[in-house]
Amino acid sequence: MSNRARWVMKYEKGLVDILHENNNSHYRTPHGWKTEGWRKIVRDFNHKHPDAGFTKVQIQEHETQLKKDYKLIKSILQRDGVSWDQSASMIRTTDEIWDEIIDVSPKARKYQSKSFPLLQTLEILLERDIPEGVGNIDEEGNDITPLLSMSRRPSGIVPGSTDEDENNISTLQRTLELGSQGLDDLDILQNQTEEVLQRPQPGADPKPKRAEEPAQSSSCIEPQKDKRKKRKAADIQQTMEAYLDFRMKQARTKEQTKKDGEQFSISRCIKALHAMTELSDQIRVLAADVFKDAVNREIFLSYEPRLRALWLKREVNRLLC
């Protein structure tokens, strides 16, 4: 039996990145990775991290473990009173709720003090449909496979109606709602489309037809050509809209996270502390350490004023013990 592999964060992140790079229907099915996919994953990993020296079995076992850890954390986050600290990549909740979680899932104990930075990238890998073609992830961990796949489409995709032009204008307006990030995405889409238009038709015969070869009637070719153009233009439009919808949802999530942080900020906690004249100077000073935790700040400000002092004294006493 092979020795247990030591998986440090560098190797874990490298493995997840490689899983994303090979996440397509050629290497993976809804039931798991194909044999050819595992061969490529192991080859890519050992090429990227030759010092690790992991076997195929060790890499497969750790991929399974990462999926188990992801599902465990997602199940914990479904509980009331539990939140995800994005900056620290950790689960935040009270000690009482942690005791309940550990009673049900003893393996969750390690995540009481351990971060899990791979949550978002694993969510993209495990929760979304398996894309066709070659999977790709951008610098923010977003799946940009639909964008890159457009550059592999045949040329000749030209909007051919007023309706399509109106759809493009609508897409542009929605992109502007995203701010500067949305404009960056639009540049990507435009560059990909330009590349498509400039690319020669795949499979086209560069050689001129010989004189004896009969020419096809233009009346038969044109309707088929128009249908292909419209169908391909619709595919690009659909891909653009799906990606922009995703980025708009992501922008709204970031905005909501920012608002939540402002609602339960340290400055608001300190301001509330000024009105609590019954507290000693020692508790006021040590309260700053309690307020470093986002969950503690939310609990403190959620209490009615008469209960805040009791709760804060208890938390300070825990720090002193």
Side-chain angles (χ1 to χ4, degrees), residues 147 150 164 166-168 170-172 174-175 189 234-248:
L147 295 180
M150 286 195 297
E164 290 172 1
E166 291 176 354
N167 288 338
N168 289 335
S170 175
T171 301
L172 176 59
R174 292 166 59 200
T175 304
L189 293 171
D235 290 343
I236 285 187
Q237 184 69 32
Q238 185 178 6
T239 300
M240 290 170 64
E241 291 186 354
Y243 182 72
L244 291 175
D245 281 339
F246 164 70
R247 295 314 298 265
M248 289 177 70

Side-chain angles (χ1 to χ4, degrees), residues 10 56 91-92 105 171 189 254 262 264-265 268 291:
K10 177 180 70 171
K56 177 182 177 181
I91 297 172
R92 298 297 189 190
S105 305
T171 301
L189 293 171
K254 289 182 179 179
E262 293 173 352
F264 303 108
S265 63
R268 288 196 63 185
F291 295 151

Side-chain angles (χ1 to χ4, degrees), residues 56-233:
K56 177 182 177 181
V57 172
Q58 289 173 321
I59 292 175
Q60 288 176 322
E61 287 177 349
H62 201 68
E63 186 262 356
T64 301
Q65 184 60 50
L66 286 174
K67 288 193 293 188
K68 290 180 179 178
D69 291 343
Y70 167 78
K71 292 178 181 178
L72 174 62
I73 291 178
K74 291 291 285 188
S75 67
I76 294 173
L77 292 175
Q78 299 299 318
R79 287 175 167 264
D80 293 335
V82 179
S83 62
W84 180 253
D85 186 339
Q86 187 66 36
S87 59
S89 298
M90 294 181 67
I91 297 172
R92 298 297 189 190
T93 188
T94 62
D95 292 340
E96 290 79 4
I97 294 179
W98 263 122
D99 291 340
E100 296 175 3
I101 294 171
I102 294 172
D103 285 342
V104 176
S105 305
K107 293 183 179 180
R109 182 185 298 275
K110 63 179 178 179
Y111 289 113
Q112 192 171 7
S113 58
K114 181 182 177 182
S115 64
F116 193 71
L118 301 175
L119 181 67
Q120 285 186 314
T121 53
L122 284 173
E123 183 175 24
I124 294 171
L125 180 69
L126 301 175
E127 303 291 347
R128 299 187 187 176
D129 294 336
I130 301 172
E132 298 288 339
V134 180
N136 290 274
I137 298 298
D138 65 14
E139 293 179 354
E140 296 182 6
N142 301 314
D143 188 356
I144 60 173
T145 299
L147 295 180
L148 297 183
S149 66
M150 286 195 297
S151 66
R152 302 183 182 91
R153 296 175 182 265
S155 62
I157 305 174
V158 180
S161 68
T162 304
D163 292 338
E164 290 172 1
D165 292 338
E166 291 176 354
N167 288 338
N168 289 335
I169 293 173
S170 175
T171 301
L172 176 59
Q173 291 172 341
R174 292 166 59 200
T175 304
L176 294 177
E177 294 176 9
L178 291 174
S180 59
Q181 180 60 55
L183 294 177
D184 291 341
D185 293 336
L186 184 60
D187 288 340
I188 295 174
L189 293 171
Q190 289 173 335
N191 291 338
Q192 295 291 346
T193 305
E194 289 173 1
E195 183 181 348
V196 170
L197 295 175
Q198 295 171 1
R199 183 165 301 174
Q201 177 73 28
D205 189 357
K207 298 180 180 180
K209 290 185 177 293
R210 291 179 294 181
E212 62 271 16
E213 292 180 353
Q216 291 182 332
S217 171
S218 60
S219 61
C220 296
I221 297 175
E222 290 302 323
Q224 296 177 2
K225 189 175 182 181
D226 290 342
K227 288 181 181 179
R228 286 199 300 270
K229 286 181 180 179
K230 290 181 180 180
R231 184 168 59 251
K232 293 168 184 174

